[in-house]
Amino acid sequence: MNAAKENLWKAFRGLVVVWIIGLAIGETLIAWGVDNWPILGSIQAHITADATTYLMWQAVAIYVLVGGTIVYSAVRFRASSMSDTAAPTYQKRTWAPFVVTWLALAIAINLANTIYPGMVGLEQLWGIQLDAKKPLVIDVTAQQWKWTFSYPKQGVTDVSKLVVPEGRTIDFVLRSKDVVHDFWVPAWGEKKDVIPNEVRHLFITPTVLGTTATNPMIRVQCTMICGNGHPLMRAPVKVVTAADFKKWVANNSF
């Protein structure tokens, strides 16, 4: 084996070591983050969290590989001194098998992500929507800079606090009176734009009891910049049992 190939193999072995160490550190941090994940308060939140976690594991492996290669190459092949101005032995090198392999891996990874978590996750979310038996319909009206909620079948109109029952799929009917807003309850793992002159639907099945007072992740928050009052455009949420929801309806219906 000539000197050039020997140096190449040394560089490759060094890169593998850097990648393994970086991967171990990155995956350890990801595991810590997953263990300390914020509240998952709906069936949809578990689906989106699984997808996010999978993509994070994958992203760390790719990031460490690419970033580690750049850093390792900069250190391993640096000039021996400030006075060393000679051109490097290889200024440009193209190796067809590497190029083809890298391109094939990139295509394969993107196709795999399209299937999972992309298509699989969407099928799960749409399945909940299609399988919902008599979902609770809640009209949501967004305007600068407040939210109002109505329960047409229960006779509750224009309330500023969102009260929902645990374990029942809810069909949020979203409308805007002025500009584009975005309906989001962090604990529920999904959000949707609220667009003027358009009626949109978001299906959520809450699974965790709680209130905004006990956990700020259980709140309605606008996530679309909609003017000066955007940061304050939020509303309290309360997730209750089915029995308590009936009592609340009885006390607030007309």
Side-chain angles (χ1 to χ4, degrees):
M1 182 180 295
N2 57 40
K5 289 185 177 180
E6 179 64 27
N7 289 334
L8 183 61
W9 277 110
K10 284 183 180 180
F12 177 76
R13 290 194 296 268
L15 179 59
V16 169
V17 172
V18 169
W19 184 70
I20 292 174
I21 294 174
L23 187 62
I25 295 173
E27 301 296 359
T28 299
L29 292 175
I30 292 293
W32 177 85
V34 171
D35 290 338
N36 292 275
W37 199 275
I39 180 175
L40 300 177
S42 72
I43 294 176
Q44 290 81 0
H46 284 275
I47 295 172
T48 56
D50 288 344
T52 302
T53 302
Y54 170 80
L55 293 175
M56 287 172 64
W57 287 108
Q58 185 184 102
V60 165
I62 297 173
Y63 178 82
V64 172
L65 177 61
V66 176
T69 300
I70 295 173
V71 173
Y72 177 80
S73 299
V75 174
R76 174 68 174 78
F77 300 105
R78 70 187 185 280
S80 57
S81 67
M82 295 297 294
S83 60
D84 184 2
T85 58
T89 304
Y90 297 106
Q91 290 183 305
K92 181 178 180 181
R93 181 165 183 164
T94 301
W95 189 32
F98 172 81
V99 174
V100 172
T101 301
W102 188 263
L103 180 61
L105 282 174
I107 294 173
I109 290 172
N110 281 279
L111 288 176
N113 288 342
T114 300
I115 298 172
Y116 180 85
M119 296 172 65
V120 172
L122 287 174
E123 183 182 16
Q124 292 174 325
L125 294 173
W126 291 340
I128 296 172
Q129 175 179 336
L130 295 174
D131 295 339
K133 299 294 191 292
K134 296 181 179 179
L136 172 64
V137 176
I138 300 179
D139 290 333
V140 179
T141 302
Q143 65 184 99
Q144 296 173 313
W145 289 278
K146 68 177 183 177
W147 300 94
T148 53
F149 311 98
S150 297
Y151 303 70
K153 294 183 180 179
Q154 286 72 30
V156 179
T157 58
D158 296 332
V159 294
S160 58
K161 182 177 183 178
L162 179 60
V163 179
V164 297
E166 175 200 20
R168 183 175 177 182
T169 299
I170 303 164
D171 177 9
F172 290 102
V173 184
L174 309 173
R175 298 179 177 88
S176 173
K177 284 188 175 181
D178 37 48
V179 299
V180 177
H181 300 280
D182 200 300
F183 179 83
W184 181 50
V185 176
W188 293 346
E190 272 198 281
K191 64 178 182 177
K192 180 159 285 192
D193 288 347
V194 189
I195 301 174
N197 302 316
E198 183 176 332
V199 178
R200 313 194 83 194
H201 294 260
L202 177 64
F203 286 79
I204 296 292
T205 309
T207 55
V208 176
L209 298 173
T211 67
T212 303
T214 59
N215 192 323
M217 299 293 286
I218 307 176
R219 74 183 189 280
V220 177
Q221 181 72 59
C222 179
T223 61
M224 181 69 70
I225 296 176
C226 55
N228 293 336
H230 164 69
L232 302 177
M233 188 173 171
R234 50 181 177 261
V237 178
K238 188 174 184 180
V239 183
V240 299
T241 62
D244 287 341
F245 181 72
K246 289 182 179 180
K247 294 179 183 178
W248 179 82
V249 169
N251 294 331
N252 289 273
S253 59
F254 297 95

